[in-house]
């Protein structure tokens, strides 16, 4: 699937939003990729996951023993990646503010884990998820996401692959341009 075809899927599902958004990191943006909308159609979700799995190098694909994704945004794409890779998919939650495995989910000691996200912006959520996997005894072999909207300089110490690479500007609270500040802000994610 080409990046244009992926972007077409986002546009077709009205998942590319324009307005004034407060991102998980607290930064502001005039654009938001609402992955939940692109994943609404199960057939589209499985198509996107198959394309993401196909983008992973063969050795990474075959190393994966389990898929772990951070709630909420990671759950559906994580489950679909589990289907694409033929592996179980479990998820992390943060009821007390820190990601943890609940619901009887667990990892074998040293189990090879692929962390699956919907979007990566500052990489904070991905880093917290990888830390939680290691704390639960797993070994992170890679990170994948549907969308890579990282700013320059955001990097990971495991292989990272994404289906769509798109960098929209983001602004710190005190840097928001006046034309953006004039639009009422919405915070679509669930980080407190
Ligand atoms: O790279 P980052 O700067 O961390 O931003 C990306 C994260 O933000 C969103 O989650 P959010 O924390 O809004 O919660 P949600 O998954 O429950 O929607 C998204 O699902 C990623 O997890
Ligand atoms: O950084 C985020 O919180 C974020 C950005 C984006 O475009 N989409 C999303 O779901 N989260
Ligand atoms: Mg999230």
């Amino acid at each position: 699937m080409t990046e244009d075809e992926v972007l077409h899927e986002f546009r077709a599902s009205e998942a590319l939003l324009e307005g004034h958004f407060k991102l998980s990191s607290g930064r502001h943006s005039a654009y938001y990729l609402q992955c939940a909308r692109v994943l609404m159609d199960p057939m589209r979700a499985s198509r996107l996951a198959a394309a993401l799995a196909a983008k992973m190098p063969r050795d990474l694909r075959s190393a994966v023993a389990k898929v772990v994704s951070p709630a909420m945004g990671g759950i559906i794409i994580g489950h679909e990646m589990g289907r694409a890779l033929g592996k179980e998919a479990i998820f992390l939650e943060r009821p007390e503010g820190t990601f943890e495995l609940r619901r009887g989910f667990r990892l074998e000691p040293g189990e090879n884990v692929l962390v699956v996200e919907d979007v990566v912006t500052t990489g904070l959520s991905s880093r917290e998820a990888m830390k939680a996997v290691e704390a639960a005894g797993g070994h992170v072999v890679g990170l994948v996401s549907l969308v890579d909207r990282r700013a320059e300089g955001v990097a990971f110490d495991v292989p990272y692959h994404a289906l769509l690479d798109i960098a929209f500007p983001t602004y710190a609270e005190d840097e928001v341009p006046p034309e953006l500040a004039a639009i009422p802000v919405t915070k679509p994610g669930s980080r407190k």
Side-chain angles (χ1 to χ4, degrees):
M1 202 180 261
T2 65
E3 293 225 331
D4 273 354
E5 286 167 340
V6 178
L7 201 50
H8 173 79
E9 301 277 13
F10 274 83
R11 290 217 166 90
S13 54
E14 297 173 34
L16 175 49
L17 310 180
E18 290 183 41
H20 180 185
F21 306 98
K22 192 166 186 178
L23 306 181
S24 176
S25 54
R27 294 181 70 81
H28 291 242
S29 178
Y31 297 93
Y32 196 83
L33 287 148
Q34 184 47 276
C35 291
R37 282 199 63 91
V38 87
L39 298 168
M40 261 183 334
D41 173 355
M43 296 313 289
R44 178 181 275 138
S46 75
R47 215 163 47 235
L48 290 168
L52 180 53
K55 251 192 137 172
M56 292 165 62
R58 192 188 304 258
D59 60 337
L60 175 57
R61 239 181 2 240
S62 55
V64 176
K66 200 167 267 170
V67 170
V68 178
S69 53
M72 289 286 300
I75 294 181
I76 296 173
I77 186 61
H79 195 78
E80 290 300 331
M81 284 303 287
R83 191 196 308 277
L85 296 169
K87 302 292 173 190
E88 288 177 342
I90 62 177
F91 55 86
L92 297 154
E93 301 164 73
R94 47 184 173 203
E96 312 293 339
T98 309
F99 281 128
E100 55 180 285
L101 290 174
R102 306 178 79 222
R103 303 170 199 271
F105 289 155
R106 60 181 169 267
L107 296 168
E108 301 304 325
E111 190 170 10
N112 283 348
V113 167
L114 179 71
V115 172
V116 178
E117 260 288 21
D118 55 347
V119 188
V120 173
T121 303
T122 64
L124 178 66
S125 308
S126 305
R127 271 198 202 85
E128 288 176 350
M130 292 193 276
K131 202 170 147 196
V133 166
E134 303 280 348
H139 171 63
V140 178
V141 291
L143 167 70
V144 298
S145 68
L146 264 185
V147 180
D148 172 2
R149 60 170 297 185
R150 281 177 302 169
E152 241 174 85
V154 177
F156 301 104
D157 51 15
V158 294
Y160 170 52
H161 303 275
L163 204 49
L164 178 65
D165 184 346
I166 194 162
F168 296 118
T170 67
Y171 310 94
E173 192 81 48
D174 58 356
E175 286 175 345
V176 178
E179 62 277 14
L180 189 56
I183 305 169
V185 66
T186 52
K187 188 178 182 303
S190 60
R191 184 191 284 278
K192 303 241 171 31

